[in-house]
């Protein structure tokens, strides 16, 4: 009996060992992963088969639909792929001495999903790209003020794709396969923050009272009436915690208030320096009368909802002091003429007009220490509305007619006055070719929007610019004058090199009504030197060199080129 039992045990052990070697390291028979039969295969073969069957799915577009709007998303681009090793492992592959594992090989065989490998960031971006085409923001309830009128806009719900549910649906569709299936995406309703009830409340409680009647501002015992159409642009109702809360824009409110108060509120006047009787004189600053803009804005919202007999606000007056005081102007020490320069020009009505207008705009300019003068900024664009007319100017090496012709003479005269006042040359551009009525190498041209004359007051004193024109007549030349007033800081002298790099002019033949004939002459290079000495001292502080290259002034013949 004992031998029989021992024999049976040996047989069972042999069968158990045989079962281990036969069933272990194989996927249970009948097992499918994402519809792919891998039963009975060893892990490596199972992974290979899954890859062959499932890899193409990553390129098959998944059709998605939301509220009738369709699109496609490719799984690979959306970061969806299969973890083949883990999928095979979870299918039951692998060696084991457990009897249950051996039994599963013959009787197991489940239908399993593949194990996904998901790049959450890519999947999120893919979903979001499509969802943005479907999402619709809710229309918020609003109340708009327009020229004293009220417009109520009522809310409407929006919609938004449920991103998390969409990501799960795409993952499931990828595992299931089948590009013909349409994945319906879940849409959630997005409610507006402000309800219709709250819009009605905002209209009744604020908007209607605010637009019902004018308000009266009392400043210095004078009444200023401000009508709803004037102040309505400053009012708004902004959503906050589901309600529309009144707001006032202080800047827009002041844009409505200040013109209405112009006869009551007076702006302060800065002190300055002007020529009086031919000598510089400090013109004292003057205080103004104004009000506290913030205080008015803070009280305005409660004012506009008051009944008709209580829509009056007493506005406190505030003394507005000038930013640049009389004491500041005195510190400029503008006392004497420190430089003066004059240029001459042949008679032309356009020169009298354009130079006279430019000189008028420049005259009286005060440069504080550290400030930079710009001729273009000071004179402005040369237009008919700005007082200029057409005249001749240089363009592309030849003369042509344009608005503001002749203003370069003002630039040249200013440049020389600044040169001998010792002011810093920030920007100047000589004419392309030399004009003999100007100082050689010390002249400047200007063009609106492209070429400017700029110099900086780098002295410790203020500078007052005086400029005027003595108009030309048919029998006399015109004169352009600039004088700089300040306290003498530099003694300036100038020098000039001989002409060098001489170039010859060419002859151009031009046709058309714009042609201006010209007798040409050659070009050359030249250097101008500026020597700085402190006023009253013979010691040279520094020397500046300015280089100028003049191109030839071509001869222009209006007509056809002679035939050889």
């Amino acid at each position: 009996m004992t031998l029989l039992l021992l024999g049976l045990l040996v047989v069972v052990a042999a069968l158990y060992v045989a079962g281990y070697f036969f069933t272990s390291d194989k996927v249970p028979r009948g097992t499918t992963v994402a519809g792919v039969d891998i039963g009975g295969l060893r892990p490596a073969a199972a992974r290979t088969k899954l890859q062959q069957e499932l890899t193409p799915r990553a390129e098959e577009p998944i059709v998605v639909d939301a509220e009738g709007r369709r699109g496609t998303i490719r799984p690979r681009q959306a970061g969806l792929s299969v973890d083949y090793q883990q999928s095979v492992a979870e299918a039951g592959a692998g060696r084991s001495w457990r009897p249950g594992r051996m039994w599963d090989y013959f009787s197991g065989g489940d239908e399993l999903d593949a194990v996904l490998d998901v790049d959450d960031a890519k999947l999120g971006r893919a979903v979001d790209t499509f969802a943005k085409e479907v999402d619709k923001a809710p229309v918020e309830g609003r109340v708009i003020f327009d020229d004293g009128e009220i417009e109520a806009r009522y809310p409407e719900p929006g919609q938004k794709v449920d991103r998390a549910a969409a990501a799960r649906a795409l993952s499931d569709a990828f595992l299931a396969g089948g590009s013909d299936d349409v994945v319906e995406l879940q849409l959630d309703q997005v409610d507006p923050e402000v309800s219709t009830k709250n819009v009605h409340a905002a209209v009744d409680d604020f908007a209607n009272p605010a637009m019902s009647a004018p308000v009266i501002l009392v400043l210095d015992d004078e009444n200023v009436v401000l009508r709803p159409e004037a102040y309505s642009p400053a009012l708004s109702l902004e959503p906050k915690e589901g309600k529309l809360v009144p707001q006032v824009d202080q800047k827009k409110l002041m844009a409505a208030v200040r013109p209405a108060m112009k006869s009551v509120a007076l702006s302060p006047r800065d002190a300055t320096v002007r020529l009086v009787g031919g000598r510089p004189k400090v013109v004292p600053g003057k205080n103004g009368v104004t009000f506290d803009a913030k205080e008015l804005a803070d009280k305005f919202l409660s004012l506009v909802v008051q009944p008709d007999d209580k829509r009056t606000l007493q506005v406190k007056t505030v003394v507005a002091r000038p930013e640049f005081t009389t004491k500041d102007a005195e510190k400029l020490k503008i006392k004497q003429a420190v430089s003066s320069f004059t240029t001459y020009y042949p008679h032309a009505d356009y020169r009298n007009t354009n130079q006279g207008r430019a000189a008028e705009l420049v005259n009286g300019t005060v440069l504080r220490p550290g400030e930079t003068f710009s001729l273009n900024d000071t004179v402005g664009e040369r237009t008919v509305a700005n007082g200029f007319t057409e005249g001749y100017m240089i363009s592309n090496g030849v003369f042509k007619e344009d608005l503001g012709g002749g203003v370069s003479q003002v630039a040249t005269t200013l440049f020389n006055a600044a040169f001998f006042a010792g002011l810093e040359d920030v920007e100047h551009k000589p004419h392309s070719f030399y004009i003999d009525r100007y100082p050689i190498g010390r002249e400047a041209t200007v063009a609106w929007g492209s070429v400017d004359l700029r110099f900086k007051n780098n002295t410790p004193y203020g500078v007052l610019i005086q400029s005027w024109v003595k108009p030309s007549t048919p029998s006399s030349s015109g004169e352009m004058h600039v004088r700089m007033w300040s306290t003498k800081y530099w003694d300036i002298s100038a020098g000039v090199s001989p002409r060098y790099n001489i170039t010859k002019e060419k002859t151009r033949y031009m046709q058309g009504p714009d042609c201006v004939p010209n007798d040409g002459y050659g070009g050359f290079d030249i250097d101008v030197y500026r020597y700085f000495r402190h006023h009253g001292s013979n010691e040279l502080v520094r020397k500046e060199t300015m280089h100028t290259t003049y191109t030839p002034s071509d001869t222009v013949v209006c007509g056809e080129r002679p035939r050889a």
Side-chain angles (χ1 to χ4, degrees), residues 99 111 124 156 207 233 236 242 247 261 287 295 322 433 477:
E111 294 180 357
E156 297 177 8
S236 62
Q247 304 285 331
M261 287 190 171
N287 291 339
E295 181 185 18
F433 51 77
S477 297

Side-chain angles (χ1 to χ4, degrees), residues 34 36 50-64 71-82 84 123 126 169-183:
V36 178
L50 284 179
Q51 285 177 328
Q52 291 173 342
E53 296 288 336
L54 298 184
T55 296
R57 291 188 190 178
E59 301 300 336
E60 294 176 359
I62 299 172
V63 180
V64 293
T72 58
I73 296 175
R74 293 187 181 275
R76 186 181 301 281
Q77 294 176 353
L80 296 175
S81 59
V82 174
Y84 298 108
L123 181 57
L170 282 170
S171 299
D172 293 343
F174 171 60
L175 291 175
S179 59
D180 294 335
D181 295 333
V182 177
V183 177

Side-chain angles (χ1 to χ4, degrees), residues 88-211:
V88 171
E90 292 195 7
R95 293 183 181 277
S96 174
W97 287 99
R98 291 184 300 104
R101 166 68 182 78
M102 298 179 197
W103 178 253
D104 285 343
Y105 174 76
F106 296 102
S107 63
D110 293 328
E111 294 180 357
L112 304 173
D113 288 330
V115 176
L116 273 180
D117 185 6
V118 181
D119 185 324
D120 292 326
K122 284 186 177 180
L123 181 57
R125 285 195 295 271
V127 170
D128 201 52
T129 298
F130 173 76
K132 284 179 178 178
E133 299 179 5
V134 182
D135 291 346
K136 185 171 68 175
V139 176
E140 289 292 347
R142 298 177 62 197
V143 177
I144 297 172
F145 299 95
D146 183 18
D147 198 25
E149 300 294 326
I150 302 165
E151 180 184 351
R153 296 185 181 178
Y154 294 99
E156 297 177 8
Q159 63 184 23
K160 187 173 184 179
V161 172
D162 185 325
R163 268 54 169 180
R168 292 192 297 270
L170 282 170
S171 299
D172 293 343
F174 171 60
L175 291 175
S179 59
D180 294 335
D181 295 333
V182 177
V183 177
E184 300 288 343
L185 300 186
Q186 178 181 328
L187 281 173
D188 295 332
Q189 179 172 303
V190 181
D191 293 323
E193 182 181 351
V194 179
S195 66
T196 299
K197 178 181 177 181
N198 287 335
V199 172
H200 285 303
V203 170
D204 294 339
D205 297 342
F206 181 79
N208 280 336
M211 298 294 105

